Amino acid sequence: MVDPRITQLAKNLVIYSCEIKPDEKILIENIGLEPPLVKELVKQVYLAGGIPFTSIKNNSVERAILMGAS
């Protein structure tokens, strides 16, 4: 079960802060955040009628890529 505070935060971000409109495309970029918040944001965007896209980055993977770069 999702923490109700995460659900409330996601609702506030989608409805009040971003004022998502139907058919609006939304990019949710995640760098190091926990997946439950991202999943809840996606859910709330769908409920608001928006179309969510995600970009998920992991710091340890980014470090591995940069360590091998020349």
Side-chain angles (χ1 to χ4, degrees):
M1 181 171 175
V2 178
D3 185 339
R5 295 173 294 178
I6 291 176
T7 302
Q8 188 62 49
L9 175 60
K11 282 182 185 178
N12 288 343
L13 288 170
V14 169
I15 296 169
Y16 300 109
S17 298
C18 296
E19 297 178 352
I20 304 301
K21 307 284 188 280
D23 297 324
E24 185 173 2
K25 295 176 184 168
I26 304 302
L27 174 63
I28 301 168
E29 188 172 33
N30 174 28
I31 303 172
L33 290 177
E34 292 298 315
L37 177 58
V38 175
K39 290 193 295 188
E40 195 62 32
L41 285 168
V42 168
K43 179 181 170 185
Q44 293 301 321
V45 169
Y46 274 130
L47 288 173
I51 304 166
F53 294 90
T54 59
S55 172
I56 299 173
K57 297 179 182 176
N58 184 297
N59 288 335
S60 63
V61 174
E62 291 293 319
R63 183 179 191 281
I65 290 170
L66 293 173
M67 291 298 289
S70 58

